Structures are given as C-alpha cells and as structure tokens.
Amino acid sequence: MSAAPGTPPIRDRAAAGPLRVLIAGCGYVGRALAQRLLDDGSTVFALRRSPGGLEPLAGREGELHLLSADVTDPNSLEGLPPDLDSVVYSVSAGDRSDGAYRRAYVEGPGNLLQALSDAGSGSRRFLFTSSTGVYGQETGEWVDEETPAEPRGFSGRRLLEGERLVRARHPGSIVVRFAGIYGPDRTRLIDRVRAGEARCTEGDSIWTNRIHRDDCAGALHHLLSLEDPRDLYLGVDDEPADRCQVYRWIARRLGVPLPPRVSRPPNGGRRRSNKRCRNARLRESGYPFLYPTYREGYGSILG
C-alpha cells in the first residue's frame, strides 16, 4: 500500500492493518486526515453536514463512506457504522459566539458519543481536537501538557468543558490542543503583509504558536497508530515566534516594505493571548514534523 508523503512509518499500524475510522467534522483538517487514512487502505466514514467536496478522495486505495449528519442534531446521527477502531472529532464552531462553541464542542461530542453508544458502535480510541486557547497566559510564559488550563474567555472555557465531557464518557480518549492552524487556502497573515496592513507593536514580544494543516493531519494519523498514547498532546510546531518576526520574514519573502512599528496604546490595548507552547511530548512520541517552523510552512505556500 502507498502512504501519503511525509507520513511517519509506524510499526504498530503495520501490525494492526487498515483501520475503520469515523471522522466527525471532515473539513479543513479532517479531509487531509482522511486522505492519509485512505492511502493506508483504511475505511473512512466522513461525517459532515454536507458531504460535498470529498468526492476526489473516493479514488484512493481505502474505502470512503460519506455520512450527512449534524452533530448538534441527535436525530440526524442514527445509523452510525458498527465496529469502529477510532473516532476523530474535528468539528469547527462556525462562528465566534458562546452558543456556537457550546454546540460544537460540548453538545456535539456528547450527542455523538450517545449515538455511538446507542448504535453499539463503540471505538477503542476517541480523538478530540481542542485548542491551546484553553491556556490564558498573557506575558509569554512557556506552557505544556502539565500547565494548568485556565482560559480567560468563553471559547477556551467551552473547549475545556468539551475535553472534560469526552474524558468522562470515553476513558480511552486523547485530546490534542492545536495552536493556530494555517496552510493552503488559509493565508490571512500573508495577505495582511502583502496589503500593508500588518503592524509591529513596540515593546515586549507578542509570542504566537502555530501548526501547518498537514502536520495537524499527520499528528492525528500518527496518534491513531500508537500502541499506548498519552491522553493529552499540544499540537504546535517546534518554534514559538514573535508576531513581528513572522511579519517581517514574510515581507522579505514577498519583497514588500517591512511592517511599520507603532506605539503600544497607553492602556496596553485589549488583552490577548501571549504564550509559548512546547511540543516535546508529541516529538517524543515519534512524530516527525513536515513543517517544523513557520519558515518551512509559509515558505511552501509562497513557493
């Protein structure tokens, strides 16, 4: 069987053979994960509100089944497939409101787990994609899986609530807290620099953390294969970077003027996340990053 480029060779996967995986929320990251699994010869059940856009995946080696359902509507979740090896929950909120986050990250996984139980479709492993937004640090502190999660806003609180629900309902669950996801068709930072809209604030560094879409999918694919994974991982690349440093690097690659420096507002401006996330646990598990820093990731997008 052929494997997706850059997919880490996992001995446990070879021993176990192809998997039966349900991906709930088969969107930006889920579609890339489905591609890797299908290249393994696995059977993928892609669940989303509208299955359109996934048809090109059907020509790959594994089996693809498109499921039209809404995790926020329990009645739409009837007839889920039996005998699943793993479930990956990768739903997005749709809009930035407390209600949307509650529906996507608390009610959604609860509904799905109940539907799986009702259908007798229990799985050995349940992966829940969360966010480093559950950490509320604002002064550049280092955080890892042992750092207490103390979110400042509703989004982090809802994500943490969802994590706790999944852990309580599925003891074999794994939570992956991803940082800012970028990649093909997600070029907002590049577009801001190109348009001359990016600004560098004078004063202390504002640390940012990110991960390329293909490494999100690669990390999930890797964790599905591990014999004895941990219950929590940070999904970030190797190098937290000062926001202005990233702006200036992109500007040089584009050949446009460097973003101007502006004074910090007298009151410090609105509170924003400012932390440095470590990926040591994910690295130690054996996952080799395709894009270890923003330079390789944005460099691939810029050609």
Side-chain angles (χ1 to χ4, degrees):
M1 292 183 291
S2 60
T7 304
I10 302 299
R11 183 187 60 190
D12 298 320
R13 169 173 290 282
L19 301 175
R20 287 170 58 85
V21 182
L22 170 67
I23 302 177
C26 200
Y28 189 62
V29 172
R31 189 183 188 284
L33 172 61
Q35 177 175 312
R36 284 171 170 263
L37 288 165
L38 291 168
D39 285 343
D40 278 347
S42 293
T43 299
V44 174
F45 299 90
L47 187 154
R48 49 189 277 166
R49 289 190 183 96
S50 172
L54 298 179
E55 293 82 1
L57 293 176
R60 294 180 176 270
E61 187 166 344
E63 290 184 30
L64 175 65
H65 301 272
L66 307 179
L67 306 179
S68 181
D70 183 348
V71 294
T72 66
D73 176 10
N75 293 328
S76 73
L77 294 171
E78 296 179 356
L80 294 177
D83 303 323
L84 295 169
D85 293 300
S86 299
V87 175
V88 179
Y89 190 89
S90 186
V91 171
S92 60
D95 69 74
R96 195 166 180 79
S97 68
D98 184 46
Y101 270 69
R102 184 187 68 252
R103 289 187 293 272
Y105 300 115
V106 183
E107 296 175 6
N111 291 338
L112 180 60
L113 284 164
Q114 186 60 54
L116 289 167
S117 176
D118 292 344
S121 302
S123 64
R124 178 176 61 94
R125 190 160 292 172
F126 192 103
L127 268 69
F128 181 77
T129 62
S130 184
S131 166
T132 56
V134 299
Y135 300 108
Q137 282 76 5
E138 298 176 348
T139 56
E141 300 97 321
W142 282 97
V143 302
D144 60 18
E145 292 83 358
E146 302 301 325
T147 305
E150 298 174 344
R152 304 278 186 180
F154 71 82
S155 58
R157 288 194 291 269
R158 292 301 185 187
L159 284 160
L160 196 57
E161 188 178 350
E163 290 182 15
R164 290 167 176 163
L165 179 147
V166 168
R167 292 189 198 286
R169 298 277 296 275
H170 196 296
S173 61
I174 302 169
V175 172
V176 184
R177 293 172 177 166
F178 286 122
I181 300 171
Y182 72 103
D185 302 320
R186 284 199 181 181
T187 57
R188 183 177 58 87
L189 214 63
I190 294 172
D191 297 339
R192 289 192 66 197
V193 174
R194 181 182 282 118
E197 298 171 355
R199 298 289 183 271
C200 291
T201 305
E202 298 282 5
D204 296 335
S205 295
I206 298 176
W207 294 99
T208 58
N209 306 270
R210 56 186 51 78
I211 183 170
H212 193 283
R213 187 272 316 269
D214 292 350
D215 277 316
C216 291
L220 293 171
H221 181 250
H222 168 72
L223 294 174
L224 286 172
S225 311
L226 290 184
E227 183 176 3
D228 189 23
R230 308 286 290 272
D231 64 353
L232 175 63
Y233 293 88
L234 293 194
V236 299
D237 68 18
D238 288 349
E239 187 180 314
D242 174 62
R243 186 176 59 185
C244 185
Q245 173 187 339
V246 180
Y247 284 161
R248 293 169 70 86
W249 186 90
I250 293 173
R252 292 189 181 98
R253 286 295 303 266
L254 290 172
V256 300
L258 299 181
R261 291 193 174 274
V262 297
S263 300
R264 190 183 301 275
N267 61 359
R270 69 180 179 88
R271 293 166 64 177
R272 64 171 68 245
S273 173
N274 184 12
K275 55 184 176 283
R276 288 175 281 181
C277 299
R278 289 191 176 95
N279 69 1
R281 180 176 292 183
L282 184 57
R283 275 290 194 184
E284 289 165 1
S285 77
Y287 179 66
F289 277 77
L290 300 173
Y291 305 102
T293 77
Y294 70 88
R295 289 177 288 273
E296 293 84 3
Y298 282 121
S300 72
I301 297 169
L302 293 168

